[in-house]
């Protein structure tokens, strides 16, 4: 029985007078009597919907949304009011799961703070399309690094090699007119240690985030962090080049960590405090390493070394834009008021940075090192 036939049957048998409400117990009996195809999570949510109503009824439109896998704002408010009816450990006790479904369950508990959302995600998740964005970006970064490493026979501190800095992908203040460099620098890295750190975080944090929130949201957050990183460097450290995807990585990490802190009581990921401390220590040490390379390089170089400001700009983007994007894993961004405020602020920053790069260097008489 398809969804349209199911909905027609429900309306004919349970709401013949078109009152707009359906008794939850009566509907549950219909489901079991006719063996209708409805996910267990949706039945749990049906109970929550009924408990949110004083007469134990469900609004017909909310029921349509439930069966059609749509959740409006009113639907989600009703679910939140009746959330106490949902089994709190249902997914953890789910028996007989395969390896992939266990991974999906792990992702649900790693990313989502509410049991109702975990159930919804677990039963709705499909393996197609896979989380291709973060995997593709990481693979491209590794390939570019290997190509330059093999060509230059240099695997650490690659930015000290003049030929490496001649790459058309590196952002250099002398090449600001080549606008693609403000994004493509994310494929270049200082050395093996920076690539390893970024690739590890992209796969450990970025892939689960993409599985839950989708390609569009995570790619938007990642690229916004990358772009903000290079533009911030062009404003605050006008002589320095930029390499590495740290702006995007820090946007993802700071958004996820901020989401965990904001929903601390609801997060069920194991050892969350220890993991957060380790993440902060690793991120801080990476920033410290970038500061050291910028101001106290271990080897003589022909020009300034890459700036660390991209890390900080990515973190700011993650806390501001990321919290809005990750607040509701399925609500459309255009329906969130906070999203428009964040988008306006980010757009204002972009306009300011564009005008700065066009006019400020000449007005301030900045001494830019010659591009390699």
């Amino acid at each position: 029985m398809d969804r349209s036939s199911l909905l027609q049957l429900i309306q004919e048998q349970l709401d013949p007078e078109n009152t707009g409400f359906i008794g939850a117990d009566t509907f549950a009996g219909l489901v079991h009597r006719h063996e209708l195809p409805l996910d267990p999570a949706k039945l749990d949510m049906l109970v929550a919907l009924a408990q949110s109503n004083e007469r134990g009824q469900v609004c017909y439109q909310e029921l349509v949304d439930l069966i059609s896998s749509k959740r409006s704002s009113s639907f989600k408010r009703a679910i939140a009011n009746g959330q106490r009816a949902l089994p709190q450990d249902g997914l953890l006790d789910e028996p007989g799961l395969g390896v992939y479904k266990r991974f999906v369950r792990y992702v649900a508990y790693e990313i989502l703070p509410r049991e109702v959302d975990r159930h919804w995600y677990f039963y709705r998740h499909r393996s197609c399309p896979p989380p291709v964005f973060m995997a593709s970006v990481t693979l491209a970064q590794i390939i570019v690094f290997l190509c330059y490493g093999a060509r230059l026979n240099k695997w650490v501190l690659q930015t000290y090699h003049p030929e490496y800095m001649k790459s058309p992908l590196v952002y250099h203040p002398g090449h600001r007119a080549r606008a693609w460099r403000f994004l493509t620098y994310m494929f270049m890295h200082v050395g093996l240690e920076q690539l390893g750190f970024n690739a590890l975080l992209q796969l450990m944090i970025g892939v689960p985030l993409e599985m839950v929130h989708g390609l569009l949201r995570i790619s938007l957050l990642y690229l916004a962090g990358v772009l903000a990183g290079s533009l911030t460097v062009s404003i605050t450290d006008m002589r320095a080049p930029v390499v590495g995807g740290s702006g995007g990585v820090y946007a993802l990490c700071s958004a996820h960590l901020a989401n965990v802190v904001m929903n601390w009581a609801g997060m069920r990921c194991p050892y969350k405090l220890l993991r957060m401390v380790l993440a902060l220590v690793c991120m801080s040490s990476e920033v410290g390493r970038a500061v050291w390379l910028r101001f106290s390089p271990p080897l003589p170089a022909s020009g300034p070394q890459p700036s660390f400001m991209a890390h900080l700009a990515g973190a700011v983007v993650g806390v501001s834009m990321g919290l809005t994007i990750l607040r509701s894993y399925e609500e459309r961004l255009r329906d969130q008021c906070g999203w428009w405020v964040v988008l306006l602020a980010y757009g204002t920053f972009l306009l300011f940075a564009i005008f700065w790069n066009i006019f400020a260097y000449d007005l301030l008489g900045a001494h830019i090192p010659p591009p390699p």
Side-chain angles (χ1 to χ4, degrees):
M1 182 179 295
D2 57 19
R3 289 176 178 173
S4 60
S5 301
L6 174 60
L7 292 172
Q8 183 178 1
L9 176 64
I10 292 171
Q11 187 172 22
E12 290 176 353
Q13 294 192 12
L14 304 184
D15 190 27
E17 299 179 359
N18 292 322
T19 61
F21 289 90
I22 298 171
D25 294 336
T26 307
F27 173 73
L30 175 69
V31 170
H32 294 299
R33 187 166 60 251
H34 291 272
E35 298 182 354
L36 300 178
L38 194 61
D39 290 335
K42 293 184 178 180
L43 288 175
D44 292 337
M45 293 178 190
L46 179 68
V47 175
L49 281 172
Q51 288 207 353
S52 69
N53 184 282
E54 295 180 356
R55 296 187 295 174
Q57 294 179 326
V58 181
C59 173
Y60 177 74
Q61 184 57 49
E62 290 171 349
L63 182 59
V64 172
D65 291 341
L66 176 66
I67 296 176
S68 304
S69 296
K70 296 178 181 178
R71 296 207 286 177
S72 62
S73 297
S74 61
F75 177 88
K76 279 182 282 189
R77 283 196 297 270
I79 285 291
N81 292 334
Q83 187 179 355
R84 60 187 178 277
L86 291 172
Q88 294 302 306
D89 296 319
L91 289 185
L92 290 178
D93 298 333
E94 192 83 17
L97 297 179
V99 174
Y100 182 73
K101 290 301 289 184
R102 286 201 296 270
F103 178 66
V104 172
R105 181 176 61 184
Y106 161 79
V107 169
Y109 278 93
E110 183 75 15
I111 303 299
L112 297 172
R114 299 196 307 162
E115 192 69 25
V116 61
D117 287 331
R118 296 180 192 123
H119 276 73
W120 186 270
Y121 168 74
F122 180 80
Y123 288 106
R124 281 191 60 203
H125 176 77
R126 301 291 181 268
S127 58
C128 186
V132 295
F133 176 75
M134 292 311 310
S136 300
V137 168
T138 304
L139 180 61
Q141 291 171 340
I142 293 174
I143 291 175
V144 170
F145 179 82
L146 292 177
C147 290
Y148 276 96
R151 175 185 169 189
L152 305 176
N153 194 26
K154 191 174 182 64
W155 304 96
V156 294
L157 298 177
Q158 288 179 297
T159 54
Y160 289 84
H161 199 295
E163 293 298 320
Y164 184 81
M165 296 304 292
K166 290 180 180 179
S167 169
L169 302 178
V170 173
Y171 166 80
H172 190 281
H175 292 311
R176 299 189 316 281
R178 302 173 184 178
W180 70 84
R181 291 175 178 255
F182 284 92
L183 281 175
T184 56
Y185 77 92
M186 71 180 185
F187 296 109
M188 309 292 288
H189 286 83
V190 171
L192 184 61
E193 65 284 358
Q194 186 191 29
L195 173 66
F197 178 81
N198 287 348
L200 182 64
L201 288 180
Q202 286 172 181
L203 295 178
M204 290 185 61
I205 296 180
V207 169
L209 285 175
E210 186 179 348
M211 288 178 63
V212 173
H213 296 283
L215 182 149
L216 181 61
R217 293 189 182 207
I218 298 307
S219 61
L220 175 64
L221 178 59
Y222 186 87
L223 294 178
V226 169
L227 184 58
S230 56
L231 290 175
T232 300
V233 170
S234 70
I235 295 173
T236 61
D237 199 355
M238 299 168 66
R239 290 172 47 83
V242 192
V243 296
S246 297
V249 171
Y250 275 63
L252 294 178
C253 293
S254 60
H256 177 57
L257 294 179
N259 189 47
V260 172
V261 171
M262 294 290 290
N263 300 281
W264 187 262
M267 299 300 295
R268 299 289 300 278
C269 46
Y271 308 108
K272 55 185 176 183
L273 180 59
L274 176 61
R275 294 165 67 182
M276 175 167 287
V277 170
L278 289 176
L280 291 175
V281 169
C282 292
M283 292 170 67
S284 301
S285 62
E286 172 64 14
V287 173
R289 171 187 164 282
V291 173
W292 171 64
L293 289 177
R294 174 68 180 89
F295 295 111
S296 301
L299 298 173
S302 58
Q305 286 301 292
S307 177
F308 60 91
M309 289 302 298
H311 300 69
L312 305 182
V316 172
V317 168
V319 172
S320 57
M321 181 181 292
L323 271 182
T324 303
I325 290 177
L326 305 187
R327 185 176 63 180
S328 176
Y329 84 97
E330 64 165 7
E331 184 179 0
R332 291 176 298 183
L333 290 176
R334 66 186 183 191
D335 295 336
Q336 301 181 32
C337 295
W339 164 247
W340 295 107
V341 176
V342 171
L343 193 62
L344 177 62
Y346 190 80
T348 303
F349 165 74
L350 289 183
L351 288 176
F352 172 79
I354 290 172
F355 280 100
W356 179 277
N357 278 273
I358 294 175
F359 301 109
Y361 280 75
D362 293 332
L363 292 176
L364 297 177
H367 299 288
I368 301 174

